[in-house]
Amino acid sequence: LDARRRFDTDPDWRTMQPRFEEEATRIRTEAGNRITNPRTRERWQPRSDTAIASAFDHVRGRQDRMRGEHEYDRYEGILNERGGAYRNATDDATREAILQGTRDTIRLAERSGVISPERIRDFTRRHVYGTIEADAMGRRDSYAALLELREGDERARAPSSGNLSELGLARIQSLMP
């Protein structure tokens, strides 16, 4: 139990499991050596194993949550960089490549298995749809672009200023219901 508490505040999630196993084995051995009666030690051992397994499950769960947070932050940084590159891209082919890279990165994050499905949906909402919307809002005719994105305004078919690229127009139309 003491080992479990120590690992509740341990920030080093990468080595948590082997360190816990080592400490739990040491504590179990020391405690078992203090029991002088062989029958008592024999009855104590299965209860000790159960307590250690329970504590290990708790530590492993914390390790998994910390790993998930670390991976989420890592992918968030990558996706933020891609969003900035998308908004700064000068041509449609570059934008399309960056957007495809963003989708691939999100799929990779999903396959990692440590980021929750809710957070994967959030990545898609913010880094695919949000990036396209932010790019449209950066245009000179940003009000029309926002209407095109959110409400399917007719101006999506004929932008009022002509500042919307063909690829941008296609992306906006794909977002409309």
Side-chain angles (χ1 to χ4, degrees), residues 84-104:
Y86 181 89
R87 286 184 294 278
N88 294 331
T90 56
D91 60 81
D92 290 345
T94 304
R95 279 193 188 92
E96 180 59 30
I98 292 169
L99 200 56
Q100 186 57 46
T102 298
R103 287 187 180 109
D104 292 344

Side-chain angles (χ1 to χ4, degrees), residues 110 115-123:
E110 184 176 23
I115 300 175
S116 71
E118 178 181 296
R119 285 187 147 185
I120 295 295
R121 284 189 299 276
D122 181 56
F123 275 162

